[in-house]
């Protein structure tokens, strides 16, 4: 009886640990899938990663939609996409209603996965008065 109780306890504890591991693995898989789809996490939902694949008007419209939900939106551009990010900020700050204010600009050099140095820009846009 003692042996079966011990085995039962071990099995219960093992099952609980297995359940926690499975849950953690599922969460990691979901996060990886979301990252593959270009999804964002809770911390970066107000960020737009600009590329050269679409024009500035596309990202400008997206930024305006996001500004209805968030007080600020960050435009991020890496390498050649910096030009597109600046065009978007300029387009929104000068030509659009409701007004949009460029709150800040940050630049840095990042090292990519292929060990190349590339310039990066982050432009913070805010709803105007």
């Amino acid at each position: 009886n003692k042996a079966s109780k011990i085995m039962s306890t071990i099995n219960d504890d093992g099952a609980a640990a297995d359940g926690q591991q499975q849950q953690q693995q599922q969460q990691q898989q979901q996060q990886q899938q979301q990252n593959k789809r270009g999804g964002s996490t809770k911390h970066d939902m107000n960020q737009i990663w600009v590329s050269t694949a679409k024009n500035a008007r596309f990202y400008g419209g997206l930024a305006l939609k996001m500004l209805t939900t968030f007080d600020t939106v960050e435009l991020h551009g890496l390498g050649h996409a910096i030009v597109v990010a600046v065009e978007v900020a300029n387009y929104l700050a000068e030509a659009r209603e409701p007004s949009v204010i460029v709150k800040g600009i940050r630049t840095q050099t990042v090292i990519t996965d292929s060990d190349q140095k590339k310039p990066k820009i982050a432009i913070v846009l805010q709803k105007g008065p």
Side-chain angles (χ1 to χ4, degrees), residues 34-105:
Q34 190 174 20
N35 290 341
K36 286 180 185 176
R37 290 191 304 260
S40 58
T41 62
K42 290 180 183 177
H43 302 291
D44 64 357
M45 290 182 67
N46 68 332
Q47 295 181 0
I48 299 173
W49 285 86
V50 175
S51 76
T52 57
K54 298 195 184 280
N55 62 27
R57 291 186 69 125
F58 170 81
Y59 291 111
L62 182 60
L64 285 175
K65 286 181 186 177
M66 290 179 69
L67 282 169
T68 61
T69 306
F70 300 102
D71 291 331
T72 61
V73 172
E74 293 183 11
L75 297 172
H76 291 262
L78 183 67
H80 295 293
I82 290 174
V83 174
V84 179
V86 171
E87 287 175 355
V88 172
N90 187 46
Y91 171 72
L92 292 174
E94 291 184 358
R96 295 292 297 176
E97 289 295 328
S99 61
V100 175
I101 299 168
V102 176
K103 189 73 173 171
I105 300 172

Side-chain angles (χ1 to χ4, degrees), residues 4-22:
S4 63
K5 285 183 181 177
I6 291 172
M7 290 302 289
S8 174
T9 303
I10 291 172
N11 288 339
D12 289 345
D13 290 343
D18 287 345
Q20 289 174 348
Q21 286 178 339
Q22 287 176 348

Side-chain angles (χ1 to χ4, degrees), residues 109-124:
T109 302
V110 296
I111 299 175
T112 64
D113 293 337
S114 59
D115 292 331
Q116 293 179 330
K117 290 183 179 180
K118 288 198 173 185
K120 178 185 174 215
I121 193 167
I123 304 170
V124 181

